[in-house]
Amino acid sequence: MYVHEPFLSHLPKGFQFAGADEETVRTLLLWYGAVLVARGDSTPPPVLIFPNEEAVQRFQVSVKTKRAQINGISIELQTPAMDALLEARQEAQLAHADITPRGVDSSRRSYADTLRLWESRVKPGLAHWVAAHKIARKEARRIANLDPMTQTSEILHQEEGGFYFNLKFDGSILSSVAPPGASQHLSMLALDINEYEIPKVREILARHGWFQTALDDLPHFTYMGVTEAELPGLGLRKERMREMLGEQVFWIPDLVATVSV
Ligand SMILES: [Zn+2]
């Protein structure tokens, strides 16, 4: 499946798409897939969606990581990602700026963390659309009880109908949280920072291999381990979005061909 896609030829050997239906896989690849082709001595995750806590832990103990304390917050990343981050931070400080994590869950996350975050959007979303008489109570209960993978497909399907599950119910849940097992934070190659609005900070991070790769998720940066000029060679393309804070550039998988099984 998925032939003729420039991005897919760069995935790790033996890569597994795991479980979800094709449309969901494609959507999740677009939103979170960039990390799968991370370079620079980092280890990209072997799956698009980790199926459970055990699979996450098996991956997390298999890679070398480093911890650092920044502004009283302890963060943990894969070693090359951390080294690049600390160098970028020094450079930012010389330029009278800084690079700091947004909170305690800004770097490493567990499967349970991603499940909890996901549910914190799904539950209010279902309650909202039931109250608005757009989703029947019985249907909402059915969706609430689905396994995470099936539920992800179902929520994305509801959003196609205009029933959104972000915090304001006006945009995709994916711009707000990743589905259980699909977060880039599970691979310890992602960091949410406070200073994402500062062009200089984004420029310094890019020079050290850190880029915005999750559409619409502005504080979220991914360690790709290459220069910007090398990103297209990994099957990534530039997506420009105009935000209130000016133009933002995201690097996302270039999925152009028709999906074929
Ligand atoms: Zn993030």
Side-chain angles (χ1 to χ4, degrees):
M1 71 193 279
Y2 301 106
V3 284
H4 311 309
E5 295 274 17
F7 173 73
L8 302 175
S9 62
H10 301 284
L11 294 176
K13 274 203 175 67
F15 183 81
Q16 294 165 18
F17 287 101
D21 64 273
E22 251 182 51
E23 208 173 307
T24 303
V25 163
R26 195 178 176 80
T27 303
L28 297 186
L29 270 179
L30 274 177
W31 281 81
Y32 313 112
V35 73
L36 302 172
V37 296
R39 298 290 187 262
D41 290 330
S42 65
T43 307
V47 286
L48 175 62
I49 309 162
F50 284 103
N52 51 43
E53 195 75 81
E54 192 201 338
V56 169
Q57 281 176 8
R58 211 181 313 132
F59 174 79
Q60 289 186 343
V61 300
S62 76
V63 296
K64 280 207 172 78
T65 67
K66 219 179 212 181
R67 283 173 185 280
Q69 192 83 5
I70 297 179
N71 274 10
I73 294 173
S74 171
I75 61 168
E76 185 178 7
L77 294 167
Q78 286 194 32
T79 302
M82 180 65 88
D83 289 343
L85 175 77
L86 295 177
E87 280 176 29
R89 184 174 187 228
Q90 267 185 357
E91 225 175 280
Q93 287 173 334
L94 287 174
H96 307 289
D98 204 352
I99 300 172
T100 59
R102 280 168 76 81
V104 286
D105 62 354
S106 290
S107 58
R108 178 181 183 155
R109 282 180 202 160
S110 67
Y111 183 85
D113 291 333
T114 65
L115 188 60
R116 197 183 55 244
L117 283 165
W118 175 254
E119 285 177 344
S120 76
R121 302 297 189 277
V122 170
K123 281 180 184 166
L126 287 172
H128 173 83
W129 294 116
V130 166
H133 304 291
K134 298 295 184 190
I135 297 178
R137 194 171 299 274
K138 199 176 159 198
E139 174 72 348
R141 215 173 303 133
R142 182 187 69 81
I143 296 171
N145 290 320
L146 292 171
D147 68 274
M149 196 85 88
T150 316
Q151 189 183 66
T152 298
S153 298
E154 183 67 49
I155 295 294
L156 296 181
H157 180 70
Q158 293 292 338
E159 290 194 338
E160 274 171 32
F163 308 140
Y164 292 109
F165 281 74
N166 70 344
L167 281 175
K168 292 181 184 164
F169 316 114
D170 62 355
S172 178
I173 188 170
L174 301 180
S175 66
S176 189
V177 291
S183 169
Q184 291 186 347
H185 292 283
L186 296 170
S187 64
M188 295 179 283
L189 293 171
L191 183 69
D192 302 329
I193 67 164
N194 290 312
E195 298 80 4
Y196 61 92
E197 295 177 35
I198 306 168
K200 183 83 192 159
V201 167
R202 297 201 297 267
E203 187 196 310
I204 292 170
L205 279 167
R207 243 187 291 120
H208 291 274
W210 283 88
F211 301 90
Q212 282 158 305
T213 71
L215 282 177
D216 243 6
D217 186 350
L218 296 173
H220 181 100
F221 285 74
T222 313
Y223 181 68
M224 298 303 300
V226 294
T227 64
E228 187 159 13
E230 292 170 292
L231 290 172
L234 293 175
L236 300 175
R237 69 177 172 86
K238 212 182 240 194
E239 180 82 24
R240 293 173 191 278
M241 296 182 88
R242 281 212 69 81
E243 299 282 343
M244 270 148 57
L245 311 164
E247 189 181 82
Q248 305 272 336
V249 171
F250 296 85
W251 286 93
I252 63 170
D254 194 3
L255 297 173
V256 288
T258 313
V259 175
S260 55
V261 182

